[in-house]
Amino acid sequence: MNWWTLVKDYYLQLGRTYQVNPALFVGIHIVATPLFLMAIGWIYKRKKQGRSLLIPVITALVIFNAANLYLVIWGTNIPAFIYFLISLSTAISGYLTYRKVKAKIDDIHPP
């Protein structure tokens, strides 16, 4: 067996176990990536214009967490440790993204 078959079988089994469509889960990730980058660009643009960042930040957060939201809302029988891992992953990734975006914004428009 090659690695692709192992990964595919793993995700198909997870999909059956938690009643989610693995293709949709992966598809959400694929579609969300460029949308998230566009939302970050929107944040930069709004900051440069001196406008409110509330809506672009909320948009970026929802896009960033879209696949996890799908899993949490439509999944069933999800163990508690999965919620913990999603929370931990979101917090770490969100913090690192915040630092990177803040540094870029500070370059564009120093405080």
Side-chain angles (χ1 to χ4, degrees), residues 2-3 6 9 11 21 28 32 47 60 72 74 89-90 100:
N2 64 25
W3 68 272
L6 291 172
D9 290 346
Y11 278 101
N21 182 335
I28 291 170
K47 178 64 177 179
V72 168
W74 281 282
S89 169
T90 299
K100 187 173 182 177

Side-chain angles (χ1 to χ4, degrees), residues 1-110:
M1 246 192 229
N2 64 25
W3 68 272
W4 172 250
T5 304
L6 291 172
V7 170
K8 182 184 73 161
D9 290 346
Y10 174 74
Y11 278 101
L12 289 173
Q13 179 57 41
L14 285 177
R16 284 189 293 275
T17 301
Y18 302 124
Q19 301 298 309
V20 293
N21 182 335
L24 183 57
F25 183 79
V26 171
I28 291 170
H29 272 293
I30 291 168
V31 170
T33 299
L35 293 176
F36 177 72
L37 294 174
M38 288 170 44
I40 295 298
W42 188 21
I43 291 170
Y44 292 152
K45 182 179 177 182
R46 299 276 294 208
K47 178 64 177 179
K48 197 171 184 179
Q49 295 170 339
R51 297 174 66 192
S52 171
L53 302 179
L54 181 64
I55 299 299
V57 166
I58 290 171
T59 302
L61 288 171
V62 170
I63 292 169
F64 183 79
N65 289 297
N68 292 335
L69 289 171
Y70 167 68
L71 178 65
V72 168
I73 292 169
W74 281 282
T76 58
N77 304 320
I78 299 171
F81 80 90
I82 296 294
Y83 291 107
F84 173 76
L85 291 176
I86 288 172
S87 300
L88 183 63
S89 169
T90 299
I92 291 169
S93 300
Y95 174 72
L96 294 174
T97 301
Y98 167 79
R99 282 187 32 200
K100 187 173 182 177
V101 169
K102 185 170 180 347
K104 283 277 195 188
I105 286 175
D106 288 345
D107 287 347
I108 293 170
H109 189 11

